[in-house]
Amino acid sequence: MQLRHEDMNNLMRLQRVDLDIARSKKEFAELPARKEHASIREKIAQVEQKARALASAQRQLTDSIAQAEAEDARLAEEQEGAQARIDAAGTNYRSIESDSKKLRSLGDKRAACEKRLEKLYADSEKAAGLRKQIEGARSALASEDRRCSEVLDAARAEYGKRADALADRRDELASQLPADLLKRYTASVARGGGVGVGVLSEGKCGSCRTPLEHGKLIELRAHAPLGVCPNCGRLLIVAD
């Protein structure tokens, strides 16, 4: 393919712009703030999961406390009834003995119930403390999330401006190339992993750096100023 000197220059300019676009995308994708933001969001999700688990545990504790308090009240009422019957039994020793035995049993049950309540109250107080810690973590992470989001928004805006400028420059250069050359370049970029053209220098391909055989060099120079590297398949500008 016969090219004007300006076509070769524009082809190399286009490749530099394409490499700048790829580099800019990579830099934005690898911003430390993006990783930090993802880490913060992961921590927020973990805290929210703990908050849900704690809320469920607190509801269970509340139900258990209510049940234990109701049981303690019922036992206390039965104790009062048994004591009242003992006080009113007079010389009815059989009744006194029966209610006394029941009173002792009720006392044991209340002791066990009070012990269970004591543990439930302690667990409830511990859960309340954990809830405060979770609320503190929520607040701190929300602040970090806002700060990191602001950094990312600024970086995204800057990247957008640069991407728009590079896209405009690319469109300008692409419009100045012959359609066939642009098509060949686009295919070469796809084959070459983002690099579509190199310059022959010192008998080597400027893209893959492979030394070329003498016969191939003669053939390339015969078709100058543009050929194809026999090793990597990229377009090759023959400038020497």
Side-chain angles (χ1 to χ4, degrees):
M1 176 181 289
Q2 294 300 314
L3 291 176
R4 299 174 302 162
H5 180 71
E6 187 61 18
D7 289 334
M8 289 188 292
N9 286 339
N10 284 336
L11 186 63
M12 291 304 296
R13 292 185 187 115
L14 179 61
Q15 174 161 272
R16 284 195 291 272
V17 170
D18 281 342
L19 291 175
D20 283 344
I21 289 172
R23 187 180 303 110
S24 183
K25 286 181 179 178
K26 186 173 185 292
E27 288 174 354
F28 180 71
E30 295 177 353
L31 276 176
R34 288 174 68 90
K35 294 181 180 179
E36 183 184 3
H37 195 230
S39 176
I40 290 171
R41 288 296 172 90
E42 184 178 351
K43 289 177 182 177
I44 288 174
Q46 291 171 352
V47 167
E48 291 304 318
Q49 184 178 8
K50 290 179 180 179
R52 289 191 295 271
L54 179 60
S56 177
Q58 285 185 302
R59 286 193 296 270
Q60 292 177 5
L61 276 171
T62 299
D63 290 344
S64 296
I65 288 172
Q67 291 172 7
E69 287 177 339
E71 175 68 9
D72 186 59
R74 184 186 65 79
L75 291 171
E77 186 177 354
E78 289 188 19
Q79 274 185 320
E80 290 178 3
Q83 186 62 55
R85 287 193 299 276
I86 291 172
D87 294 340
T91 59
N92 189 345
Y93 298 114
R94 181 173 294 180
S95 176
I96 291 173
E97 183 179 356
S98 175
D99 282 323
S100 295
K101 184 176 181 181
K102 186 173 184 179
L103 197 60
R104 287 193 295 273
S105 176
L106 288 169
D108 291 341
K109 289 179 181 179
R110 280 203 73 189
C113 187
E114 288 170 357
K115 188 174 181 180
R116 186 164 67 254
L117 274 169
E118 184 179 346
K119 184 178 185 307
L120 287 170
Y121 290 145
D123 289 344
S124 180
E125 186 176 348
K126 182 179 178 181
L130 288 173
R131 188 173 187 83
K132 287 183 180 180
Q133 291 180 15
I134 286 176
E135 291 301 326
R138 271 176 168 166
S139 178
L141 285 170
S143 177
E144 285 296 298
D145 187 59
R146 286 192 298 272
R147 178 193 61 76
C148 201
S149 294
E150 290 173 358
V151 171
L152 275 178
D153 287 344
R156 190 176 291 108
E158 183 64 28
Y159 166 73
K161 291 178 183 177
R162 178 169 172 75
D164 289 344
L166 287 171
D168 289 345
R169 178 59 175 158
R170 190 188 194 284
D171 289 344
E172 178 187 355
L173 289 169
S175 68
Q176 296 174 15
L177 291 177
D180 288 348
L181 176 57
L182 180 61
K183 184 176 180 180
R184 288 185 66 186
Y185 168 73
T186 301
S188 183
V189 169
R191 287 194 305 272
V195 177
V197 60
V199 176
L200 180 65
S201 177
E202 298 180 353
K204 297 178 182 179
C205 170
S207 295
C208 66
R209 308 303 301 167
T210 300
L212 304 182
E213 296 177 357
H214 182 69
K216 193 61 183 178
L217 289 173
I218 293 175
E219 182 181 342
L220 285 169
R221 290 191 176 101
H223 294 87
L226 186 69
V228 175
C229 174
N231 181 62
C232 66
R234 295 182 177 95
L235 295 180
L236 193 59
I237 293 177
V238 182
D240 60 354

